[in-house]
Amino acid sequence: MKVAVFSTKPYDQKHLEAANQGQQELVFFDTHMSAQTAALAEGFDVVCCFVNDVLDDETITNLHHAGIKMIAMRCAGFNNIDLNKCRELGLPVARVPEYSPYAVAEHAVALIMDLNRNIHRAFNRVRENDYSLNGLLGFDMHGKTVGVIGTGKIGVAFAKIMHGFGCQIIASDPYQNPDMEALGTYVDRDELWQQADIISLHCPLMPATQHLINQNTIEKMKPGVMIINTSRGGLIDTKAVIDGLKSEKIGYLGLDVYEEEANLFFEDYSNDMLMDDIFARLLTFPNVVITGHQAFFTREALQAIARITIQNLSNFASGTMTEVRWIPETLAHQP
Ligand code: NAD
């Protein structure tokens, strides 16, 4: 099959080629997928896309007209793809639902520890020959209450690490996971907001979870709460969080994702002006640490993403549809 791989970075190409071993004809584009760039897929059988590609109604219609027969996502999330349109046009979508929950869970922990112990500030001070400790005071993780929103593969991997620190784990998820029940207790969402010292988001972005963290929910939280988002930017109303930081209701914010990240992340704009005023405001807080959607970025995760993507393509090519990692109807239609 001829596969057009969009949003390719050198590390994607390296891992996909190693996993492919010449099975499919892969052509790499560094361009993002959008309604405007979909025409590049003319003459290909399949497109392979990533988290910030825009696969909306118009793009999917254009891909269909270009003769594309399948979309292979090389990520777990599927908030950037209009699944209803794909279904309407009979265009199957595969993804990589699990590649390394540890990669993302461990990055969430890295953000927590960095914020707690002010590593980002200490790093700069020591380089400036400044060894003063004023303003760097942290807290013991042991005994703190950690609220986990979404207890799937990543949420549970995260909860296990926090449990190892001696934290109390409380969780919220419409589906109770027995692995989580061994680590802590499920509580209702309001109780979680009220009790948690640290809140970490691990649920998908969908209409029901859009702006889950908003002015109303922030008001219910403990003063000085730490919020960590390694899931999807749209889970947080950024303006509300900025207000929460200014009023000191939010004590720490760790982000690997941002609601308007599609225009920023994965690219080098170091010679350009930052035009996003909301993002720029976030960067002014000493108690905010942001990484550019790198939680998945470990050697093991990249190898697994490439291996499973190639397997998805092979399964589609050989007609073994049952093994393609379709996005289950239940997940796509979750409230
Ligand atoms: P998963 O499907 O295993 O788990 C998601 C969990 O969220 C499920 O248990 C589901 O029931 C729960 N959920 C659904 N709706 C909810 C709601 N309203 N409230 C609370 N929980 C709800 O997925 P996963 O592999 O653990 O991944 C979680 C998310 O992490 C993905 O959706 C993706 O957005 C994000 N992710 C980020 C990166 C990164 O690099 N930053 C990488 C991979 C995944």
Side-chain angles (χ1 to χ4, degrees):
M1 287 192 311
K2 272 192 88 174
V3 183
V5 184
F6 281 75
S7 297
T8 313
K9 297 290 178 202
Y11 45 82
D12 296 313
Q13 181 163 352
K14 177 180 152 197
H15 287 91
L16 283 168
E17 279 175 343
N20 187 42
Q21 297 289 315
Q23 294 174 68
Q24 313 297 340
E25 188 183 338
L26 305 180
V27 178
F28 296 94
F29 296 90
D30 55 12
T31 325
H32 292 302
M33 170 63 79
S34 67
Q36 290 70 40
T37 59
L40 288 170
E42 192 93 38
F44 287 86
D45 302 297
V46 175
V47 289
C48 179
C49 301
F50 196 48
V51 286
N52 286 332
D53 286 320
V54 179
L55 289 141
D56 57 8
D57 185 308
E58 194 184 351
T59 310
I60 290 160
T61 306
N62 293 353
L63 288 175
H64 183 63
H65 288 150
I68 290 302
K69 300 179 193 71
M70 179 220 188
I71 298 171
M73 302 300 292
R74 50 182 197 282
C75 55
F78 45 87
N79 51 286
N80 55 332
I81 176 158
D82 186 336
L83 292 174
N84 289 330
K85 192 69 189 173
C86 292
R87 230 171 263 125
E88 183 192 314
L89 298 175
L91 201 55
V93 180
R95 65 172 179 144
V96 185
E98 179 175 358
Y99 43 89
S100 170
Y102 312 109
V104 183
E106 289 168 13
H107 193 78
V109 177
L111 290 174
I112 292 173
M113 294 313 294
D114 176 89
L115 282 163
N116 172 5
R117 307 308 292 263
N118 282 290
I119 305 295
H120 55 295
R121 299 179 67 203
F123 174 82
N124 287 327
R125 277 194 199 183
V126 170
R127 288 166 74 92
E128 294 288 327
N129 223 14
D130 174 358
Y131 309 98
S132 63
L133 299 182
N134 244 351
L136 301 185
L137 191 66
F139 58 83
D140 285 5
M141 293 294 294
H142 188 269
K144 294 296 176 295
T145 300
V146 176
V148 185
I149 308 269
T151 55
K153 293 172 286 291
I154 296 171
V156 165
F158 169 79
K160 277 186 186 156
I161 305 173
M162 291 293 100
H163 190 255
F165 272 117
C167 296
Q168 309 293 323
I169 314 291
I170 54 176
S172 164
D173 191 311
Y175 304 95
Q176 304 211 341
N177 182 339
D179 291 343
M180 175 65 217
E181 281 165 329
L183 300 166
T185 42
Y186 281 99
V187 294
D188 73 40
R189 188 73 62 73
D190 275 352
E191 227 174 299
L192 189 146
W193 302 138
Q194 285 156 19
Q195 290 179 15
D197 299 296
I198 299 169
I199 295 170
S200 195
L201 306 179
H202 300 289
C203 60
L205 174 63
M206 45 195 181
T209 58
Q210 173 91 24
H211 287 181
L212 185 73
I213 305 289
N214 55 48
Q215 192 193 341
N216 183 30
T217 52
I218 292 167
E219 268 166 24
K220 296 176 183 165
M221 294 176 193
K222 272 190 173 178
V225 63
M226 182 187 290
I227 299 174
I228 302 293
N229 188 9
T230 55
S231 197
R232 283 293 179 266
L235 296 176
I236 289 185
D237 176 348
T238 315
K239 282 189 184 153
V241 156
I242 289 173
D243 289 342
L245 286 159
K246 283 160 75 179
S247 69
E248 299 182 18
K249 177 79 178 191
I250 298 173
Y252 314 80
L253 178 68
L255 301 179
D256 185 52
V257 287
Y258 167 59
E259 48 184 340
E260 301 300 330
E261 72 175 52
N263 299 323
L264 282 176
F265 287 5
F266 303 123
E267 305 300 333
D268 178 1
Y269 294 117
S270 54
N271 290 317
D272 301 329
M273 222 186 305
L274 176 56
M275 299 305 284
D276 182 331
D277 290 349
I278 295 175
F279 193 74
R281 182 67 178 102
L282 274 181
L283 295 177
T284 65
F285 294 99
N287 49 351
V288 173
V289 169
I290 306 177
T291 53
H293 208 138
Q294 69 169 82
F296 74 99
F297 200 58
T298 66
R299 200 179 307 122
E300 291 78 3
L302 286 191
Q303 286 165 351
I305 289 170
R307 181 175 43 76
I308 297 166
T309 300
I310 297 300
Q311 198 189 330
N312 286 344
L313 294 171
S314 305
N315 290 345
F316 180 71
S318 64
T320 49
M321 309 284 273
T322 49
E323 288 185 32
V324 175
R325 285 160 176 80
W326 307 109
I327 295 167
E329 291 278 322
T330 46
L331 250 183
H333 286 138
Q334 248 177 41

